[in-house]
Amino acid sequence: MKNLVVLSGAGMSVESGLSTFRDAGGLWENYPVQDVATHEGWERNPTLVTNFYNMLRKKLVAAKPNKGHELVASLEEKYNVTVVTQNVDNLHEMAGSTKVVHLHGELMKVCSSWNVDDPRYQVTLKEGNLEVEPGTKAGDGSLLRPFIVFFGEAVPNMEPAAKAAMDADIFVIIGTSLNVYPAAGLVQYVKPGTPIYIIDPNPVSISSYLNATHIQKGASDGMEELLKQLA
């Protein structure tokens, strides 16, 4: 069975009603990045950061996987699929994808602010219990913080993501501008000669990627087109 790797970005979840951070009308227009998505912002005002992610969780549980997510999950019928996502939502899992690597953390989890990656202090929040009261402590006595990779922090899952990219027989990029590093660098790990498909409604510069096919559509229509091309 061939290895197929999907790298998904914010454009993957737009059709589910989750706004991207960078586009016009995106979340960053209302909340400066440095206030809600940096370690300095957390240190400065953990209450603001906690409440921001409480708000995002409410938006997430109101969202449902779109057809694009479902079609990505359906690839597992024919391929050994690894989804590497820049998104902090859990829509890939909800759609049925069984192997998902989250590069930037998971919105439905909270963790120790001293030991972010220590699984002993990670808690998965459930629908109906989405809000973290500011000041709540983790098991090690530190403040509970969102299990999110803040800007400037290391990306622990880059290693498994790079390994998946190196082993890929087909590499699919959906809804990411390839401007966010280190995720954008994953394509550099793909073996020469491996077919690359880029699904994005916007123009994409693919001149540097040999064997790249640009499907200029949104996630759902683009995935339908991809399935035709792979058949």
Side-chain angles (χ1 to χ4, degrees), residues 12 17-18 28 44 90 106 111 116 122 138 159 163 183 186 213:
M12 184 85 230
L18 298 179
W28 290 145
R44 193 165 52 244
N90 58 353
E106 298 178 61
C111 60
V116 174
Q122 293 169 3
E159 193 171 328
K163 174 74 168 61
L186 280 176
T213 301

Side-chain angles (χ1 to χ4, degrees), residues 119-140:
R120 291 177 299 171
Y121 308 120
Q122 293 169 3
V123 178
T124 300
L125 302 174
K126 306 292 185 190
E127 198 167 343
N129 184 30
L130 298 172
E131 292 218 17
V132 174
E133 188 69 31
T136 304
K137 299 285 180 67
D140 62 355

